[in-house]
Amino acid sequence: MLHHWPEPGVDCHAAASRRWWQAYTAPELRIVITHDRIVAFECSRRGRLGGAAQCLQHAAHAVDDHSDAHAASPSAPLWETLRLVLSTYAGQRWHVVVVLSNQFVRWLALPWQDQIRSRADQQAYFAHGLQQAFGSQTQPSQLRSQCPGYGKPFLINAIAEDLLTQLHREFDAAGLPIGQLLPAWQLSANQSLAWMRKQGREAAGWIVCRESTSLTLACLQHGAWQQIRTLPVDRHSPDSDWRHTLRQVLLREQALHPERAQLPVYLAQTALAGLRPEDFSPFKVIVLPTTEPAGQPMWSLA
């Protein structure tokens, strides 16, 4: 389960869509895929002038799957549930945004290399880095990278080719071609960066994406990505367990990299009922505001 309320136009941008014209002229259908449920969000049209879209309604569909909650590939029951969800919208006109759980994505920050002169060299460097980091978990994947500028580290994500092929097959069969496909952490990052710009803050901090079985967090310092990692969290443990896990990781990082001790921690629309300041002490936590409809408890949705 992903603890995140959609914020169209902020957490994903229409101009980046493979079907950008549809992003401005059709309502958005956002399908969030995690190991234990699929949630469909129906959002209003954005409009050509970039007007804000709003989520109108949503429906959550549980996946009847009792396999490994941290498996790197979707299970057969998940695909069956996805087909059921898509059948509701088959043939309708939507701009489709697919959000994948971080457990189906491999993230890595790699240092800049001056020796790289071509795209082929770059792809080989990325593939080698992923192989070194994830070993046997590495599969033939589509690699995406982001680099804020010359000499700064690359931020890479890898999604298995088999998974991407199957996703496009399922959505195309329903007459719902995918416009955008995003890892869940990217939504949190986009929201956090938008908030930093709006507040006139430096691009720096720990950006955290919370799911019921994991935490994905990345360190941004002086506008450059320093590291990113995904940590397992026991979904059967008390709700406070993810807070303890996050605080312990930050304390270790503080000991290893004292210069990061003052960086704020950004939690994008994370449920914080009953939060006490000491839960994250000595770190400063910034909970990003949500645009969800009043009275909707975001932590019970997706």
Side-chain angles (χ1 to χ4, degrees), residues 107-111 125 153-156 219 225-229:
W107 286 99
L108 187 64
L110 286 175
Y125 175 52
F154 294 97
L155 185 66
I156 306 156
C219 178
W225 298 106
Q226 304 300 319
Q227 65 165 287
I228 184 168
R229 60 191 298 193

Side-chain angles (χ1 to χ4, degrees), residues 122-251:
Q122 187 182 77
Q123 292 296 300
Y125 175 52
F126 294 165
H128 177 72
L130 288 164
Q131 180 65 42
Q132 292 291 103
F134 299 105
S136 60
Q137 297 180 36
T138 306
Q139 306 174 49
S141 302
Q142 182 182 105
L143 305 181
R144 301 177 185 175
S145 65
Q146 190 267 347
C147 181
Y150 182 84
K152 294 185 176 180
F154 294 97
L155 185 66
I156 306 156
N157 72 65
I159 303 176
E161 292 282 6
D162 289 348
L163 171 55
L164 290 173
T165 299
Q166 183 69 13
L167 279 171
H168 284 288
R169 183 182 297 126
E170 299 293 347
F171 279 84
D172 288 346
L176 296 165
I178 297 173
Q180 287 179 278
L181 193 151
L182 304 161
W185 177 84
Q186 189 172 338
L187 303 182
S188 297
N190 286 343
Q191 283 184 312
S192 300
L193 291 169
W195 192 89
M196 293 177 203
R197 287 191 295 269
K198 186 176 181 180
Q199 299 296 320
R201 289 175 175 256
E202 178 191 9
W206 291 94
I207 297 178
V208 181
C209 178
R210 182 190 170 207
E211 297 184 64
S212 55
T213 59
S214 69
L215 289 174
T216 300
L217 66 158
C219 178
L220 180 65
Q221 192 172 23
H222 306 305
W225 298 106
Q226 304 300 319
Q227 65 165 287
I228 184 168
R229 60 191 298 193
T230 296
L231 305 164
V233 175
D234 184 358
R235 60 177 167 173
H236 300 299
S237 65
D239 186 61
S240 60
D241 184 68
W242 72 270
R243 302 174 190 172
H244 174 76
T245 299
L246 177 58
R247 184 172 181 275
Q248 291 304 306
V249 170
L250 293 173
L251 287 172

